[in-house]
Amino acid sequence: MAETNRNPNPPTDITLLGLGAMGGALAAALLDAGHSVTVWNRTPGRDTDLVARGARTAGSAREAVSASPVVVACLLKHDSVHETLDPVVDALRGRTLVNVTTTTPNEARELASWAADHGVDYLDGAIMAVPAMISSRAGQIFYSGSRTAYDALLPIIETWATSEFHGEDAGRASLVDLAMLSGMYQMFAGFLHGAAMVGSVGMSAADFAARQAPFLAAMTGELAGFADVVDGGDYTVPNQQSLDFSDLSHIVRASQDQGVDPAPIAAVQALIDRQVAAGHGSEGFARVYESLRAGELVGR
């Protein structure tokens, strides 16, 4: 993360659009930090607790946008941002838009371009936290886009979670966020696949979790080693488990024998097979990265 120039006089008036579980938590944290907060939600009635704590409610998106120099959008999806802001974009001109709606990298880039075309300073945020983690250092929010906006707003956005700026490419924060979530969901899928395997003989998911959790925690210690190999680009360095040795077809067969869909582990085996077929079977397991990376099918 690059050095940050903190703004000693950040704006204190903020508008928050979208009062779902996360939007409500963000608004509450701003109120607790002493900011003047205007809130708006497409569906009425979600602002009661926030108004009781001092928030101002807006009767329309236009009123909400016009109320503050900083507008935070925490909406359902990319299309929701346009549906909410396109009709009032004239009121948004000259303001800063912080979009923490979950988007793909290209959707974030499209919004940044749209904002620039309309005279709006754009900062994209990707929240690595659940609502209960807001206002704690346990959560993280990645930002990319306008460095000027990030520096100016850092004292505000750090009331939510630990902040990291990932560059002026507005899609980069989203990319890092989704890449991390990819690892998480594939871990969950792997656990559930294993639970289904042992469930076929009567082991409860809870019993399996008690065994799986410490094993997975220990295995995360291997990630740095894989990273070193990938970054070094040499999959022949010693002390690696080879792709030939990493054949997982026995796990696929065992899963099928138990009547369990082998899809999660079969996907990993397909990545291994691709590299072995290309002649890399003696190289380390980390080489499956080459089956995955952008623009590559079988390796360098």
Side-chain angles (χ1 to χ4, degrees), residues 11-16 23-39 50 53 70 72 134-135 153 155-160:
T12 58
D13 292 343
I14 303 114
T15 284
L16 202 140
L26 297 176
L30 293 172
L31 289 167
D32 289 345
H35 297 290
S36 298
V37 181
T38 298
V39 296
L50 294 168
R53 296 173 66 169
V70 178
V72 178
I134 297 301
S135 295
L153 297 178
I156 294 173
I157 59 182
E158 284 208 322
T159 66
W160 293 334

Side-chain angles (χ1 to χ4, degrees), residues 117-270:
D117 288 345
H118 291 93
V120 179
D121 208 11
Y122 183 85
L123 186 64
D124 199 79
I127 302 175
M128 292 295 299
V130 296
M133 295 167 67
I134 297 301
S135 295
S136 78
R137 308 314 291 173
Q140 291 180 293
I141 304 181
F142 305 145
Y143 295 94
S144 56
S146 169
R147 181 58 192 258
T148 300
Y150 178 80
D151 288 341
L153 297 178
L154 188 59
I156 294 173
I157 59 182
E158 284 208 322
T159 66
W160 293 334
T162 300
S163 300
E164 287 187 4
F165 185 71
H166 283 265
E168 295 187 350
D169 170 4
R172 190 177 175 94
S174 170
L175 182 62
V176 176
D177 171 55
L178 297 182
M180 291 180 68
L181 290 174
S182 175
M184 180 190 77
Y185 280 110
Q186 290 181 80
M187 178 189 71
F188 289 160
F191 162 73
L192 293 169
H193 176 250
M197 289 181 71
V198 297
S200 69
V201 293
M203 179 181 284
S204 71
D207 283 349
F208 182 63
R211 293 163 173 78
Q212 179 86 115
F215 177 71
L216 290 179
M219 290 301 99
T220 61
E222 301 297 312
L223 297 180
F226 283 132
D228 286 343
V229 172
V230 168
D231 289 342
D234 182 2
Y235 300 102
T236 67
V237 295
N239 301 317
Q240 296 186 78
Q241 179 173 302
S242 72
L243 286 163
D244 285 333
F245 187 81
S246 300
D247 177 58
L248 308 178
S249 59
H250 57 299
I251 306 179
V252 174
R253 293 194 306 274
S255 179
Q256 293 169 326
D257 291 346
Q258 297 304 127
V260 173
D261 188 338
I265 198 67
V268 181
Q269 182 61 46

Side-chain angles (χ1 to χ4, degrees), residues 243-244 274-284 287 298-300:
L243 286 163
D244 285 333
R274 194 180 296 169
Q275 292 300 317
V276 171
H280 303 296
S282 64
E283 299 179 36
R287 193 178 177 95
V298 295
R300 296 172 183 168

